[in-house]
Amino acid sequence: LRPYLAPMQIHSVGTFFVAYAISAFFTRILCRSLFQRYGADRLVALGMLGMSTGFLAYLGLQNAWQLVIPGCLAGAAQAVLFPALVGRGSVAFPERYRGLGTTAMLAMFDIGGLVGAPLAGGVVHIAPRVGLPAYPTLFLLMAGSLMFVAAWYYHRSRRIPTTLTQ
């Protein structure tokens, strides 16, 4: 985030993280019953679409206070997406191994960061070489990818039976 904001003379990212934390906390409290009401699959898709919207919100930044917008969007999306993904993924394991399933899901998040961070850095590094703006290209690519995966996941999940509420 810092390298993206530096050319705009925005040197503090604290606004983003405060908005992210507050948004995630209150979204988690206010939406705790959504899992039972709508099911994990809908919440996974909703969370991915929220993350996508958060990436798009970076594109309009001009002032430090505007970091509240992507911070709130990303925080709320994470608060919906994370428990839905872990819950949906762990249910694939037999009940007596659900703890192992949860551990495996958390490990997948780490692997995602291990693979995703260098890929994102590659986009930022290569985009200017082909005449594209580095960070806007990354944000659009991430938003588009998340929208595609959300639609694919939701469509596919409608055909797969589950023991969780649909």
Side-chain angles (χ1 to χ4, degrees):
L1 188 56
R2 266 189 211 281
Y4 171 63
L5 298 174
M8 292 180 254
Q9 303 301 313
I10 299 173
H11 301 292
S12 174
V13 295
T15 306
F16 172 84
F17 289 106
V18 168
Y20 186 101
I22 291 170
S23 174
F25 180 77
F26 284 107
T27 299
R28 198 64 201 114
I29 289 172
L30 295 172
C31 298
R32 65 185 177 265
S33 67
L34 290 181
F35 189 80
Q36 288 81 19
R37 192 177 316 157
Y38 297 109
D41 293 330
R42 289 182 180 146
L43 293 180
V44 167
L46 179 67
M48 283 194 271
L49 291 174
M51 283 289 183
S52 179
T53 305
F55 280 115
L56 293 175
Y58 288 115
L59 297 174
L61 293 179
Q62 295 176 347
N63 300 302
W65 71 266
Q66 292 173 325
L67 287 167
V68 168
I69 298 166
C72 284
L73 289 168
Q78 185 271 340
V80 170
L81 182 60
F82 184 81
L85 277 174
V86 172
R88 183 65 173 102
S90 66
V91 78
F93 289 78
E95 193 169 326
R96 69 184 274 200
Y97 297 113
R98 292 274 163 87
L100 176 64
T102 300
T103 302
M105 291 301 298
L106 294 174
M108 293 299 111
F109 285 113
D110 292 337
I111 291 171
L114 185 66
V115 172
L119 288 175
V123 169
V124 169
H125 184 69
I126 292 170
R129 292 183 179 190
V130 296
L132 297 171
Y135 287 97
T137 300
L138 174 66
F139 297 145
L140 288 170
L141 194 67
M142 292 299 296
S145 298
L146 281 169
M147 284 180 197
F148 175 78
V149 170
W152 175 83
Y153 176 83
Y154 185 72
H155 174 73
R156 180 129 168 85
S157 70
R158 304 312 299 161
R159 299 183 317 193
I160 300 171
T162 180
T163 58
L164 289 178
T165 305
Q166 289 290 323

